Amino acid sequence: MGTWIVNGKMLDGDNRLVNKNILIENGMITSITEPKEGPDNQSDGHERIDAKGQLIAPGLIDMHVHLREPGFEHKETIATGTRSAARGGFTTIACMPNTRPVIDTPETVRYILDKAETEGVVRVLPYGCITDNQLGRELTDFEALKDAGVFAFTDDGVGVQSAQMMKDAMAKAAELGMPIVAHCEDNTLVVGAPVNEGAFSRKHGLKGIPNESEAIHVGRDILLAEATGVHYHVCHVSTEQSVRLIRQAKQLGIKVTAEVCPHHLLLSDEDIPGLDANWKMNPPLRSPRDVQACIKGIEDGTIDIVVTDHAPHSEEEKAKGMQAAPFGIVGFETAFPLLYTHFVLKGKWTLQFLLDRMTVKPAEVFGLSWGTLQEGAAADLTLIDLDTEKEVNPAEFLSKGRNTPFTGWKLKGWPTRTIVAGQVVWSEA
Ligand SMILES: NC(=O)N[C@@H](CC(=O)O)C(=O)O
Ligand SMILES: [Zn+2]
């Protein structure tokens, strides 16, 4: 027996919402029909899910998340992190390797894949480390990690400091046809700084993280990508200079792609209310000028995709204050409503534009088979209520993390039901 999703609306590829019914059988979409030909006047023995006029979107894809397991289960686990993802409408997520141990051996890759299989509710794609222990000294065994199931390499959490090490990594990854995904940060430029170098850091007498600490790696790596021919993907772009460098590289035909987080599109360091570590993340909130450059970057295609950089930490850790608390904010359960409310409903982006950057484009960038709704595709989909306004309430999060700067924001575009391979993995109470 299959399941019909009835009374839903789909985008038609041209930003028009059209009424469609979708039949799911054996984890696949087997039929997409006009409602009149559909199940309502048929007794075909299939189950029904009433979408109540809501949007049926492809399951969202998030290529940059921290699940914290193994090693930091007090912050998040694969069980809680994937449920949080599902509540945010995500059906596929790619988890960063800065766990303990880090993901630098086939054993750890298998541990994560096993846990995701038995305890997770969405698809989990593990990244493998570029260097052993993320120390930047020796490359990991790329072949062995690839065979164990990683889809790309990154040392996210830290930048690869040595240009030679990065070049060797790129050459090896290129040989294997795998992407290098880079957290861009030159440590010599950021010693001990908790926030952006700018108005906020000066006002509070804090050290600042300058734009160059990110952009210098972007520039270096673009040259190395050109030399090695690797697919180079830039993590969480936050500065005007990085956007400029990536735009030029794309014009030159260098294989570079990039991602941006909702918070870097919506907040600047001028919005930080005070010394509250729920506003502390890496890269930090930059100047309004950088925010505008990131928006321009995604709008003109320089930046390809949206990711959350979901980075849960415990309340105790975040209570240590701006200087001592760890970097990172949670992202799954606010990402889509934030961007829908602040870009689509304000008429800056079409719904199609936003959805593409959270579904089709990430699939395209990383060669994944999910992200579209069509007959024959996996039945990964998300129902989204585009009309009901609700406040962001961290107490409702399924993540263990409550660390968000968006508490109390009034948003529309809340996911109501998330389906992975035909199974409902989360639904609004
Ligand atoms: N993005 C963050 O602010 N934090 C990340 C690590 C990182 O990407 O720097 C984390 O693991 O907490
Ligand atoms: Zn990072």
Side-chain angles (χ1 to χ4, degrees):
M1 191 176 63
T3 304
W4 277 105
I5 302 187
V6 298
N7 297 325
K9 292 190 172 65
M10 265 174 73
L11 279 176
D12 67 351
D14 218 7
N15 198 50
R16 278 186 300 258
L17 285 169
V18 287
N19 296 322
K20 292 283 183 190
N21 291 337
I22 295 187
L23 179 62
I24 299 171
E25 292 173 291
N26 302 318
M28 311 285 283
I29 295 172
T30 52
S31 179
I32 300 179
T33 64
E34 304 296 324
K36 56 179 171 337
E37 318 160 10
D40 298 310
N41 39 24
Q42 268 168 242
S43 55
D44 54 10
H46 296 307
E47 271 180 41
R48 299 273 189 283
I49 289 177
D50 184 354
K52 299 180 186 152
Q54 294 176 1
L55 173 70
I56 311 175
L60 306 181
I61 300 177
D62 188 348
M63 298 309 294
H64 189 138
V65 322
H66 298 272
L67 293 179
R68 306 302 190 203
E69 188 172 8
F72 301 100
E73 288 83 354
H74 67 287
K75 297 178 198 272
E76 194 79 289
T77 62
I78 288 170
T80 60
T82 56
R83 279 166 182 77
S84 171
R87 182 163 182 264
F90 295 93
T91 54
T92 297
I93 61 179
C95 63
M96 286 300 174
N98 61 340
T99 46
R100 189 175 60 205
V102 301
I103 313 180
D104 63 357
T105 62
E107 291 69 43
T108 308
V109 176
R110 282 193 286 270
Y111 177 87
I112 287 167
L113 289 172
D114 285 349
K115 278 256 165 173
E117 186 67 36
T118 54
E119 295 172 21
V121 299
V122 302
R123 301 182 199 272
V124 174
L125 312 176
Y127 282 99
C129 289
I130 295 173
T131 67
D132 284 340
N133 254 311
Q134 296 193 318
L135 289 173
R137 298 204 190 110
E138 264 174 282
L139 292 187
T140 56
D141 186 339
F142 281 17
E143 279 101 340
L145 289 172
K146 182 183 181 187
D147 290 345
V150 310
F151 75 100
F153 300 103
T154 183
D155 270 359
D156 183 62
V158 287
V160 174
Q161 299 303 305
S162 151
Q164 184 65 57
M165 187 64 56
M166 192 52 140
K167 189 174 182 186
D168 292 346
M170 286 185 179
K172 186 89 215 167
E175 239 176 74
L176 297 172
M178 304 275 278
I180 288 286
V181 173
H183 169 114
C184 289
E185 182 172 15
D186 184 306
N187 292 346
T188 64
L189 291 167
V190 291
V191 185
V195 294
N196 183 46
E197 182 177 277
F200 185 88
S201 68
R202 284 191 290 274
K203 178 173 169 201
H204 293 277
L206 297 167
K207 284 192 189 169
I209 304 174
N211 282 21
E212 313 84 77
S213 69
E214 172 180 294
I216 218 162
H217 268 213
V218 175
R220 177 198 77 178
D221 291 354
I222 283 169
L223 294 170
L224 298 174
E226 183 181 23
T228 56
V230 78
H231 168 201
Y232 172 63
H233 179 82
V234 187
C235 287
H236 38 52
V237 170
S238 72
T239 70
E240 182 188 6
Q241 293 83 356
S242 303
V243 174
R244 187 176 75 213
L245 288 162
I246 296 163
R247 184 176 291 125
Q248 286 169 348
K250 284 193 165 184
Q251 280 162 1
L252 293 167
I254 299 167
K255 256 189 269 166
V256 52
T257 55
E259 61 186 39
V260 68
C261 307
H263 45 277
H264 292 124
L265 297 171
L266 289 166
L267 300 173
S268 77
D269 61 354
E270 292 186 358
D271 299 312
I272 309 176
L275 296 170
D276 174 351
N278 286 328
W279 297 71
K280 176 177 180 178
M281 74 294 282
N282 193 13
L285 298 177
R286 303 283 189 183
S287 71
R289 195 184 157 107
D290 292 300
V291 173
Q292 288 313 311
C294 289
I295 293 172
K296 181 87 200 333
I298 193 149
E299 289 178 351
D300 74 6
T302 300
I303 298 173
D304 302 84
I305 64 173
V306 171
V307 302
T308 66
D309 193 7
H310 178 81
H313 295 290
S314 69
E315 280 174 270
E316 298 69 51
E317 290 163 313
K318 279 297 194 183
K320 290 179 183 164
M322 200 56 114
Q323 183 64 49
F327 290 94
I329 61 170
V330 290
F332 286 140
E333 295 172 71
T334 52
F336 185 85
L338 279 170
L339 297 177
Y340 179 70
T341 303
H342 286 275
F343 288 95
V344 179
L345 287 180
K346 290 188 179 166
K348 295 172 185 162
W349 298 352
T350 64
L351 177 57
Q352 185 89 55
F353 179 91
L354 172 58
L355 271 182
D356 282 355
R357 273 137 198 88
M358 299 179 81
T359 58
V360 184
K361 296 257 173 198
E364 228 169 71
V365 166
F366 288 100
L368 312 175
S369 61
W370 308 290
T372 51
L373 292 179
Q374 56 199 27
E375 290 173 7
D380 286 12
L381 44 97
T382 300
L383 300 187
I384 301 177
D385 173 357
L386 297 177
D387 301 317
T388 308
E389 186 175 85
K390 274 196 332 188
E391 273 186 29
V392 174
N393 177 6
E396 292 172 359
F397 288 171
L398 296 183
S399 171
K400 287 192 183 184
R402 300 283 183 266
N403 45 315
T404 176
F406 296 111
T407 301
W409 283 41
K410 291 187 173 62
L411 305 174
K412 292 184 181 179
W414 295 95
T416 60
R417 195 186 298 247
T418 303
I419 297 175
V420 178
Q423 302 296 314
V424 176
V425 296
W426 175 76
S427 122
E428 198 183 41

